[in-house]
Amino acid sequence: VARGASNEYAVHDRIVSIEFLGRACASAKVQIALPPAPESTPTTTAVLYTDFLTLLRDDSIDGGAWRVIAKIYSSAPLDDADVRADGVTPADFSDVTRAVDGYCRSNRRCDGEGMARIFHPACCLTYALPDGIVVCDADEFCRVRVAGRWEQPAHRPYAHLRGDPRVAAADTLVSVDFAGPRACRVVLRIGCPPFLWTDVLLCLKLTAPVYGRDGWWIVAKSSSSVPFLQGERGEEGPHRK
């Protein structure tokens, strides 16, 4: 929607927050006002959109560049006196944290089927490597990255740490931030030797059932990592003799 050069809407635009979650991963919360768009959206009044943006630094681009890799948003009429009050209740926090707990439990148990009940089928995992951005679809994430984690070359030498209490103790809920009662961003730290991952989860509360379930779903995930227990690499993997 073109809004022209007028400041009528631009005065409402703002960067609410920017958080760097690693050298190549960042998250931003922004607001932008747009005029009515009866033919495209459709909207009949001016709208204030609150967006969560996940950005990854793509070093495959000459000199490196930040790219918006995921976005979710909520909206409210611009002339609503309560537009800044997003209507989030304690029950919304409770529902989101319950969904996040399901994500963490499925991750810890390497339960791909359980993960598929919270990781939306259209969701992708994305992260940055020196040679570019990796995109992993929901099926690969649940079936290979979760269910088959300790068979992966990077993790296999650390399979003996699977039940180590230090690994589960590293799991931390860093923050939950809402853009409205149906859109939120969750930041987690998850221990999976030899990495400690920081996950940015963009979540939407859906009313249309997916696999027979409505409610909160993870619709985008991006990650950044630092070394974790790398010095405890084992000599034997689970399939070696």
Side-chain angles (χ1 to χ4, degrees), residues 43-120:
T43 56
T44 57
T45 62
V47 175
L48 181 69
Y49 291 91
T50 301
D51 299 349
F52 282 124
L53 309 175
T54 302
L55 301 95
L56 295 176
R57 181 178 174 85
D58 189 347
D59 288 335
S60 69
I61 299 174
D62 193 23
W66 287 94
R67 302 174 65 181
V68 176
I69 203 73
K71 167 186 169 177
I72 62 172
Y73 69 88
S74 67
S75 61
L78 184 59
D79 60 0
D80 188 337
D82 297 322
V83 70
R84 303 291 179 180
D86 57 18
V88 177
T89 69
D92 294 314
F93 277 91
S94 177
D95 290 344
V96 168
T97 54
R98 184 161 49 249
V100 170
D101 182 64
Y103 169 84
C104 291
R105 283 187 288 106
S106 296
N107 182 74
R108 187 59 52 215
R109 296 171 181 173
C110 297
D111 181 358
E113 293 183 359
M115 184 65 75
R117 290 192 287 270
I118 186 64
F119 204 83
H120 192 277

Side-chain angles (χ1 to χ4, degrees), residues 90-224:
D92 294 314
F93 277 91
S94 177
D95 290 344
V96 168
T97 54
R98 184 161 49 249
V100 170
D101 182 64
Y103 169 84
C104 291
R105 283 187 288 106
S106 296
N107 182 74
R108 187 59 52 215
R109 296 171 181 173
C110 297
D111 181 358
E113 293 183 359
M115 184 65 75
R117 290 192 287 270
I118 186 64
F119 204 83
H120 192 277
C123 184
C124 287
L125 160 67
T126 57
Y127 57 93
L129 292 177
D131 57 351
I133 291 174
V134 176
V135 180
C136 170
D137 66 20
D139 177 68
E140 180 185 348
F141 174 70
C142 295
R143 180 175 48 84
V144 179
R145 304 294 183 103
V146 176
R149 173 178 301 119
W150 300 110
E151 299 174 2
Q152 299 305 301
H155 294 285
R156 186 181 301 150
Y158 299 88
H160 62 287
L161 297 175
R162 179 173 179 172
D164 192 305
R166 295 173 297 173
V167 176
D171 294 356
T172 306
L173 176 59
V174 178
S175 65
V176 178
D177 190 7
F178 285 82
R182 295 188 174 277
C184 80
R185 175 190 61 196
V186 177
V187 179
L188 294 168
R189 290 196 183 94
I190 301 289
C192 296
F195 307 113
L196 178 64
W197 294 97
T198 298
D199 291 346
V200 185
L201 309 178
L202 301 185
C203 306
L204 291 175
K205 187 176 184 180
L206 306 181
T207 54
V210 179
Y211 298 151
R213 186 184 75 78
D214 56 10
W216 287 99
W217 285 83
I218 299 167
V219 297
K221 170 184 173 177
S222 294
S223 300
S224 178

